[in-house]
Amino acid sequence: MTTQQAADLLNVSRQYLVRLLEEGRIPFTRTGKHRRLRIEDVLAFKEHRDRERCAGLDELARMSEEVGGYDELK
C-alpha cells in the first residue's frame, strides 16, 4: 500500500507516517522513489498503538482514582 493509504488507515498525516517509517517503527520497501508498506505491518502497528493507548488511559484513570478523582462516581 502507499504511504497515503497507510496514513489514512492510521488516521495520521502522511508526513508523520514517513517519520515512523524512517524511525523503523513500521517496515517498508522502496519501489524506485516510492515507499510501499504491507497492510499486515500497518495493521500490526495500529493494534500495538491502540493497546498502548488503552493501557495508558487505564493507568491514568487508576492514578486519578488514587488521588481522589472521580468522587462523583462513587
Side-chain angles (χ1 to χ4, degrees):
M1 68 186 331
T2 67
T3 53
Q4 187 60 59
Q5 291 169 327
D8 291 344
L9 180 67
L10 296 173
N11 199 31
V12 298
S13 70
R14 194 186 67 76
Q15 292 83 4
Y16 178 70
L17 176 75
V18 169
R19 189 174 338 143
L20 293 174
L21 299 176
E22 296 301 325
E23 290 172 358
R25 297 184 60 192
I26 304 173
F28 69 96
T29 58
R30 285 194 181 267
T31 304
K33 291 182 172 182
H34 303 283
R35 296 174 185 90
R36 293 292 182 251
L37 299 87
R38 292 180 40 219
I39 191 164
E40 295 87 0
D41 295 331
V42 176
L43 292 175
F45 175 83
K46 183 178 186 309
E47 183 178 324
H48 182 261
R49 179 193 66 178
D50 292 348
R51 270 189 273 126
E52 283 185 341
R53 283 181 177 174
C54 285
L57 288 172
D58 289 344
E59 177 65 12
L60 186 58
R62 185 192 61 75
M63 291 169 51
S64 294
E65 289 172 357
E66 285 180 0
V67 296
Y70 301 112
D71 284 335
E72 65 276 0
L73 299 176
K74 294 181 182 180

